[in-house]
Amino acid sequence: MGILVRLFRLPIFRAFSQFGGLQGVIVMVFYQIGHFIFFKLHIPVIRQLCWAIYRLIELFFIRLIFDCEIPAQCHIGKGLHLPHGPKGIVINPYAKIGKNVTIFHYVTLGQNKQPKTAPIIEQDVIIGAGAKLLGNITIARAAKIGANAVVLQNIPSGATAVGIPAQIKSNKIRT
């Protein structure tokens, strides 16, 4: 029993549980590669070649097989938690996600009517399954978004938002 306990404490097994299994690990590793190519690779010819290969793989494997869109252009902080894997998650390229955010399946972070705008998610936020966060909004620290909520306005720190359109039901900060 002691060997199994030590085996499951290895970092690779923590990544499996953090990202919801093998699909989540593959998607997030691929996101990191694309993010590196888009923001840090500055050799023009190599960058264009790598970007073309990345986009092909993203289209055929990540979008079609894993059914999610997590573009390399968005900014995702450390500690992202996908308890049920990346199934159905759609993130706008302009979205910013803070540290220790939990996103359940079938969540959309997208733009509303204004081009090149997307939600800003601060740290320690929990977003329930099927939630839609649309437009140039900010979800403040430690907020919770209920399942299937449609959020069109800013959510203050520690608040819980539920419903269509989302309304703030409580404003308690967890300690």
Side-chain angles (χ1 to χ4, degrees), residues 148-174:
N148 294 316
V150 177
V151 181
L152 302 171
Q153 63 185 0
N154 294 336
I155 305 298
S157 181
T160 300
V162 296
I164 301 172
Q167 297 179 359
I168 298 170
K169 293 296 179 187
S170 69
N171 199 2
K172 297 177 183 174
I173 297 178
R174 6 174 208 174

mmCIF file of all heavy atoms in Angstrom, residues 148-174:
data_model
loop_
_atom_site.group_PDB
_atom_site.id
_atom_site.type_symbol
_atom_site.label_atom_id
_atom_site.label_comp_id
_atom_site.label_asym_id
_atom_site.label_seq_id
_atom_site.Cartn_x
_atom_site.Cartn_y
_atom_site.Cartn_z
ATOM 1 N N ASN A 148 -25.019 27.158 -15.265
ATOM 2 C CA ASN A 148 -25.888 27.702 -16.310
ATOM 3 C C ASN A 148 -26.211 29.185 -16.155
ATOM 4 O O ASN A 148 -27.145 29.667 -16.784
ATOM 5 C CB ASN A 148 -27.180 26.889 -16.435
ATOM 6 C CG ASN A 148 -26.901 25.503 -16.932
ATOM 7 O OD1 ASN A 148 -26.123 25.315 -17.859
ATOM 8 N ND2 ASN A 148 -27.500 24.515 -16.300
ATOM 9 N N ALA A 149 -25.471 29.913 -15.349
ATOM 10 C CA ALA A 149 -25.689 31.354 -15.206
ATOM 11 C C ALA A 149 -25.191 32.064 -16.461
ATOM 12 O O ALA A 149 -24.229 31.630 -17.097
ATOM 13 C CB ALA A 149 -24.949 31.884 -13.982
ATOM 14 N N VAL A 150 -25.845 33.160 -16.817
ATOM 15 C CA VAL A 150 -25.406 33.999 -17.926
ATOM 16 C C VAL A 150 -25.001 35.338 -17.316
ATOM 17 O O VAL A 150 -25.854 36.127 -16.900
ATOM 18 C CB VAL A 150 -26.522 34.189 -18.977
ATOM 19 C CG1 VAL A 150 -26.050 35.124 -20.080
ATOM 20 C CG2 VAL A 150 -26.934 32.850 -19.555
ATOM 21 N N VAL A 151 -23.704 35.572 -17.244
ATOM 22 C CA VAL A 151 -23.168 36.752 -16.572
ATOM 23 C C VAL A 151 -22.854 37.821 -17.613
ATOM 24 O O VAL A 151 -22.044 37.603 -18.514
ATOM 25 C CB VAL A 151 -21.904 36.394 -15.760
ATOM 26 C CG1 VAL A 151 -21.374 37.616 -15.036
ATOM 27 C CG2 VAL A 151 -22.204 35.282 -14.768
ATOM 28 N N LEU A 152 -23.494 38.990 -17.447
ATOM 29 C CA LEU A 152 -23.303 40.109 -18.367
ATOM 30 C C LEU A 152 -22.809 41.358 -17.651
ATOM 31 O O LEU A 152 -22.687 42.406 -18.265
ATOM 32 C CB LEU A 152 -24.629 40.424 -19.075
ATOM 33 C CG LEU A 152 -25.251 39.265 -19.862
ATOM 34 C CD1 LEU A 152 -26.645 39.635 -20.330
ATOM 35 C CD2 LEU A 152 -24.364 38.867 -21.009
ATOM 36 N N GLN A 153 -22.569 41.265 -16.342
ATOM 37 C CA GLN A 153 -22.132 42.413 -15.554
ATOM 38 C C GLN A 153 -20.990 42.003 -14.631
ATOM 39 O O GLN A 153 -20.772 40.820 -14.399
ATOM 40 C CB GLN A 153 -23.289 42.953 -14.724
ATOM 41 C CG GLN A 153 -23.799 41.949 -13.710
ATOM 42 C CD GLN A 153 -25.027 42.435 -12.965
ATOM 43 O OE1 GLN A 153 -25.497 43.529 -13.219
ATOM 44 N NE2 GLN A 153 -25.549 41.635 -12.065
ATOM 45 N N ASN A 154 -20.279 42.985 -14.090
ATOM 46 C CA ASN A 154 -19.189 42.715 -13.158
ATOM 47 C C ASN A 154 -19.733 42.050 -11.900
ATOM 48 O O ASN A 154 -20.827 42.390 -11.436
ATOM 49 C CB ASN A 154 -18.475 44.006 -12.783
ATOM 50 C CG ASN A 154 -17.754 44.621 -13.959
ATOM 51 O OD1 ASN A 154 -17.395 43.933 -14.911
ATOM 52 N ND2 ASN A 154 -17.543 45.909 -13.918
ATOM 53 N N ILE A 155 -18.955 41.125 -11.346
ATOM 54 C CA ILE A 155 -19.320 40.442 -10.110
ATOM 55 C C ILE A 155 -18.300 40.839 -9.054
ATOM 56 O O ILE A 155 -17.102 40.668 -9.259
ATOM 57 C CB ILE A 155 -19.333 38.906 -10.296
ATOM 58 C CG1 ILE A 155 -20.255 38.506 -11.455
ATOM 59 C CG2 ILE A 155 -19.738 38.214 -9.007
ATOM 60 C CD1 ILE A 155 -21.693 38.861 -11.284
ATOM 61 N N PRO A 156 -18.751 41.387 -7.905
ATOM 62 C CA PRO A 156 -17.805 41.832 -6.873
ATOM 63 C C PRO A 156 -17.127 40.672 -6.150
ATOM 64 O O PRO A 156 -17.553 39.524 -6.239
ATOM 65 C CB PRO A 156 -18.670 42.650 -5.918
ATOM 66 C CG PRO A 156 -20.060 42.195 -6.153
ATOM 67 C CD PRO A 156 -20.132 41.694 -7.561
ATOM 68 N N SER A 157 -16.111 41.000 -5.408
ATOM 69 C CA SER A 157 -15.321 40.018 -4.675
ATOM 70 C C SER A 157 -16.181 39.246 -3.671
ATOM 71 O O SER A 157 -16.954 39.835 -2.923
ATOM 72 C CB SER A 157 -14.184 40.739 -3.952
ATOM 73 O OG SER A 157 -13.391 39.818 -3.261
ATOM 74 N N GLY A 158 -16.050 37.932 -3.684
ATOM 75 C CA GLY A 158 -16.747 37.077 -2.731
ATOM 76 C C GLY A 158 -18.212 36.847 -3.022
ATOM 77 O O GLY A 158 -18.880 36.164 -2.261
ATOM 78 N N ALA A 159 -18.735 37.388 -4.087
ATOM 79 C CA ALA A 159 -20.158 37.270 -4.387
ATOM 80 C C ALA A 159 -20.477 35.955 -5.088
ATOM 81 O O ALA A 159 -19.606 35.330 -5.687
ATOM 82 C CB ALA A 159 -20.602 38.439 -5.259
ATOM 83 N N THR A 160 -21.752 35.564 -5.014
ATOM 84 C CA THR A 160 -22.253 34.408 -5.736
ATOM 85 C C THR A 160 -23.296 34.898 -6.722
ATOM 86 O O THR A 160 -24.255 35.571 -6.331
ATOM 87 C CB THR A 160 -22.885 33.386 -4.773
ATOM 88 O OG1 THR A 160 -21.888 32.960 -3.846
ATOM 89 C CG2 THR A 160 -23.419 32.180 -5.520
ATOM 90 N N ALA A 161 -23.120 34.562 -7.995
ATOM 91 C CA ALA A 161 -24.049 34.998 -9.035
ATOM 92 C C ALA A 161 -24.723 33.779 -9.660
ATOM 93 O O ALA A 161 -24.053 32.822 -10.035
ATOM 94 C CB ALA A 161 -23.307 35.791 -10.099
ATOM 95 N N VAL A 162 -26.055 33.828 -9.759
ATOM 96 C CA VAL A 162 -26.824 32.725 -10.345
ATOM 97 C C VAL A 162 -27.948 33.286 -11.200
ATOM 98 O O VAL A 162 -28.377 34.420 -11.018
ATOM 99 C CB VAL A 162 -27.411 31.794 -9.260
ATOM 100 C CG1 VAL A 162 -26.320 31.101 -8.476
ATOM 101 C CG2 VAL A 162 -28.325 32.557 -8.323
ATOM 102 N N GLY A 163 -28.434 32.487 -12.135
ATOM 103 C CA GLY A 163 -29.608 32.837 -12.912
ATOM 104 C C GLY A 163 -29.311 33.319 -14.309
ATOM 105 O O GLY A 163 -28.167 33.437 -14.726
ATOM 106 N N ILE A 164 -30.423 33.569 -15.041
ATOM 107 C CA ILE A 164 -30.331 34.057 -16.416
ATOM 108 C C ILE A 164 -31.215 35.293 -16.514
ATOM 109 O O ILE A 164 -32.430 35.166 -16.455
ATOM 110 C CB ILE A 164 -30.825 32.990 -17.415
ATOM 111 C CG1 ILE A 164 -30.002 31.723 -17.268
ATOM 112 C CG2 ILE A 164 -30.770 33.513 -18.829
ATOM 113 C CD1 ILE A 164 -30.520 30.550 -18.055
ATOM 114 N N PRO A 165 -30.694 36.465 -16.644
ATOM 115 C CA PRO A 165 -29.293 36.853 -16.486
ATOM 116 C C PRO A 165 -28.877 36.751 -15.018
ATOM 117 O O PRO A 165 -29.725 36.790 -14.130
ATOM 118 C CB PRO A 165 -29.261 38.295 -16.975
ATOM 119 C CG PRO A 165 -30.631 38.813 -16.740
ATOM 120 C CD PRO A 165 -31.550 37.629 -16.914
ATOM 121 N N ALA A 166 -27.611 36.625 -14.792
ATOM 122 C CA ALA A 166 -27.099 36.379 -13.444
ATOM 123 C C ALA A 166 -27.388 37.551 -12.517
ATOM 124 O O ALA A 166 -27.240 38.710 -12.882
ATOM 125 C CB ALA A 166 -25.605 36.109 -13.486
ATOM 126 N N GLN A 167 -27.806 37.203 -11.299
ATOM 127 C CA GLN A 167 -28.016 38.182 -10.240
ATOM 128 C C GLN A 167 -27.197 37.754 -9.041
ATOM 129 O O GLN A 167 -27.004 36.563 -8.807
ATOM 130 C CB GLN A 167 -29.489 38.259 -9.879
ATOM 131 C CG GLN A 167 -30.354 38.740 -11.016
ATOM 132 C CD GLN A 167 -31.816 38.777 -10.639
ATOM 133 O OE1 GLN A 167 -32.195 38.423 -9.527
ATOM 134 N NE2 GLN A 167 -32.644 39.214 -11.571
ATOM 135 N N ILE A 168 -26.745 38.725 -8.273
ATOM 136 C CA ILE A 168 -25.915 38.432 -7.105
ATOM 137 C C ILE A 168 -26.822 37.997 -5.958
ATOM 138 O O ILE A 168 -27.739 38.721 -5.569
ATOM 139 C CB ILE A 168 -25.070 39.657 -6.727
ATOM 140 C CG1 ILE A 168 -24.127 39.982 -7.887
ATOM 141 C CG2 ILE A 168 -24.308 39.408 -5.438
ATOM 142 C CD1 ILE A 168 -23.415 41.281 -7.767
ATOM 143 N N LYS A 169 -26.563 36.800 -5.437
ATOM 144 C CA LYS A 169 -27.377 36.250 -4.359
ATOM 145 C C LYS A 169 -26.741 36.424 -2.991
ATOM 146 O O LYS A 169 -27.430 36.508 -2.005
ATOM 147 C CB LYS A 169 -27.665 34.756 -4.602
ATOM 148 C CG LYS A 169 -28.540 34.523 -5.794
ATOM 149 C CD LYS A 169 -29.907 35.134 -5.573
ATOM 150 C CE LYS A 169 -30.786 34.924 -6.777
ATOM 151 N NZ LYS A 169 -32.051 35.619 -6.677
ATOM 152 N N SER A 170 -25.440 36.432 -2.915
ATOM 153 C CA SER A 170 -24.764 36.656 -1.629
ATOM 154 C C SER A 170 -23.427 37.301 -1.893
ATOM 155 O O SER A 170 -22.885 37.227 -3.000
ATOM 156 C CB SER A 170 -24.592 35.354 -0.857
ATOM 157 O OG SER A 170 -23.662 34.513 -1.508
ATOM 158 N N ASN A 171 -22.898 37.932 -0.883
ATOM 159 C CA ASN A 171 -21.625 38.628 -1.018
ATOM 160 C C ASN A 171 -20.746 38.330 0.188
ATOM 161 O O ASN A 171 -20.373 39.225 0.923
ATOM 162 C CB ASN A 171 -21.857 40.142 -1.164
ATOM 163 C CG ASN A 171 -20.659 40.843 -1.752
ATOM 164 O OD1 ASN A 171 -19.676 40.206 -2.093
ATOM 165 N ND2 ASN A 171 -20.741 42.142 -1.865
ATOM 166 N N LYS A 172 -20.445 37.067 0.381
ATOM 167 C CA LYS A 172 -19.646 36.643 1.520
ATOM 168 C C LYS A 172 -18.250 36.233 1.054
ATOM 169 O O LYS A 172 -18.117 35.442 0.143
ATOM 170 C CB LYS A 172 -20.293 35.449 2.223
ATOM 171 C CG LYS A 172 -21.648 35.772 2.803
ATOM 172 C CD LYS A 172 -22.258 34.548 3.410
ATOM 173 C CE LYS A 172 -23.652 34.864 3.919
ATOM 174 N NZ LYS A 172 -24.332 33.665 4.401
ATOM 175 N N ILE A 173 -17.240 36.754 1.699
ATOM 176 C CA ILE A 173 -15.857 36.377 1.380
ATOM 177 C C ILE A 173 -15.476 35.205 2.257
ATOM 178 O O ILE A 173 -15.643 35.245 3.480
ATOM 179 C CB ILE A 173 -14.893 37.560 1.581
ATOM 180 C CG1 ILE A 173 -15.259 38.677 0.614
ATOM 181 C CG2 ILE A 173 -13.450 37.116 1.413
ATOM 182 C CD1 ILE A 173 -14.401 39.906 0.768
ATOM 183 N N ARG A 174 -14.964 34.141 1.636
ATOM 184 C CA ARG A 174 -14.535 32.984 2.410
ATOM 185 C C ARG A 174 -13.211 33.287 3.074
ATOM 186 O O ARG A 174 -12.359 33.974 2.553
ATOM 187 C CB ARG A 174 -14.392 31.711 1.589
ATOM 188 C CG ARG A 174 -14.554 31.821 0.169
ATOM 189 C CD ARG A 174 -14.255 30.551 -0.533
ATOM 190 N NE ARG A 174 -13.797 31.012 -1.855
ATOM 191 C CZ ARG A 174 -13.334 30.291 -2.782
ATOM 192 N NH1 ARG A 174 -13.194 29.028 -2.611
ATOM 193 N NH2 ARG A 174 -12.983 30.790 -3.917
#
